[in-house]
Amino acid sequence: EIVLTQSPGTLSLSPGERATLSCRASQSVSSSYLAWYQQKPGQAPRLLIYGASSRATGIPDRFSGSGSGTDFTLTISRLEPEDFAVYYCQQYGSSPPNTFGQGTRLEIK
Amino acid sequence: EVQLVESGGGLVQPGRSLRLSCTASGFTFGDYAMSWVRQAPGKGLEWVGFIRSKAYGGTTEYAASVKGRFTISRDDSKSIAYLQMNSLKTEDTAVYYCTRGLAVFDPWGQGTLVTVSS
């Protein structure tokens, strides 16, 4: 089973700043089958990125994904107030099982 | 609009059973695999299992933590996916989400809370 480790656990930034979230896999994720989800308090997760770098429908272009192999990054170019949430990475290259990272909390500084 | 609505959650004693339903609308349900993902209070996301579409055999896969206790099924005529949970444990307490797909999950339902406690 592939284990995903996200860092940092909590990221404190201000609106307008750039956010960089990391997701590291315990072994290579085949074909860059990695997704990112956003979850706000009391809400269901929402798909942001799939295939490591493809934005889901309706996702603003300030969100971008990159990486391959074992190291992946979600970048939010300029933070909006609505972007403060918890972010999860998920691999589906070695499935089942699908596995999620433990999450990064992005909070307002 | 694609929509998923879970129901059937509640308080149940350890060792008992519960069945969750996921009612879909806005897309051709039978063409898609459906998955269940859960989230314990204050914790992260955990994949529970999925059921493939009939075109791919309608077969199922489960996480090791629920295999042998949970069963996913589907009724394409009603656009409903089910999660039958038997021999429930306190550690099964979580919000259970239904979601479309077996690899990339999109969209998600609002979730239904299952509390296992005596």
Side-chain angles (χ1 to χ4, degrees):
Chain A
E1 176 177 321
I2 295 179
V3 176
L4 300 178
T5 302
Q6 294 186 239
S7 61
T10 302
L11 184 58
S12 299
L13 293 170
S14 300
E17 292 191 292
R18 180 185 185 92
T20 303
L21 288 66
S22 173
C23 177
R24 178 161 291 179
S26 60
Q27 54 188 282
S28 183
V29 177
S30 60
S31 303
S32 295
Y33 285 154
L34 188 110
W36 289 92
Y37 299 84
Q38 176 194 66
Q39 187 178 33
K40 297 179 181 180
Q43 296 186 18
R46 177 174 71 144
L47 175 67
L48 298 177
I49 301 286
Y50 63 94
S53 61
S54 297
R55 271 188 303 276
T57 302
I59 302 304
D61 60 8
R62 65 180 181 273
F63 290 92
S64 63
S66 63
S68 63
T70 60
D71 289 299
F72 298 87
T73 300
L74 174 69
T75 301
I76 310 172
S77 60
R78 195 167 50 251
L79 286 165
E80 297 288 342
E82 61 268 26
D83 298 337
F84 292 91
V86 179
Y87 292 84
Y88 295 95
C89 60
Q90 175 231 344
Q91 71 80 27
Y92 53 98
S94 173
S95 172
N98 293 284
T99 52
F100 291 90
Q102 83 281 14
T104 289
R105 180 178 305 277
L106 178 56
E107 63 176 27
I108 299 178
K109 187 174 182 180
Chain B
E1 178 193 5
V2 175
Q3 195 169 14
L4 301 171
V5 178
E6 300 93 337
S7 59
L11 175 64
V12 61
Q13 293 179 326
R16 304 298 292 266
S17 298
L18 200 64
R19 188 178 80 161
L20 306 183
S21 300
C22 169
T23 303
S25 60
F27 65 101
T28 305
F29 180 78
D31 289 349
Y32 290 85
M34 297 297 295
S35 296
W36 289 89
V37 176
R38 68 183 180 182
Q39 186 170 37
K43 302 298 184 182
L45 302 170
E46 180 188 15
W47 172 74
V48 172
F50 62 66
I51 184 166
R52 296 178 176 88
S53 66
K54 290 286 180 8
Y56 289 88
T59 53
T60 54
E61 301 286 351
Y62 300 96
S65 57
V66 306
K67 196 169 187 178
R69 300 188 299 123
F70 289 12
T71 302
I72 298 173
S73 60
R74 63 190 300 155
D75 185 337
D76 290 350
S77 68
K78 296 180 179 178
S79 296
I80 300 177
Y82 299 100
L83 178 63
Q84 176 68 44
M85 303 183 293
N86 298 333
S87 303
L88 282 161
K89 306 175 182 179
T90 55
E91 53 263 41
D92 294 320
T93 293
V95 173
Y96 284 75
Y97 294 102
C98 162
T99 181
R100 186 177 67 175
L102 55 74
V104 177
F105 302 133
D106 181 49
W108 299 57
Q110 85 289 349
T112 187
L113 176 63
V114 173
T115 303
V116 184
S117 174
S118 54

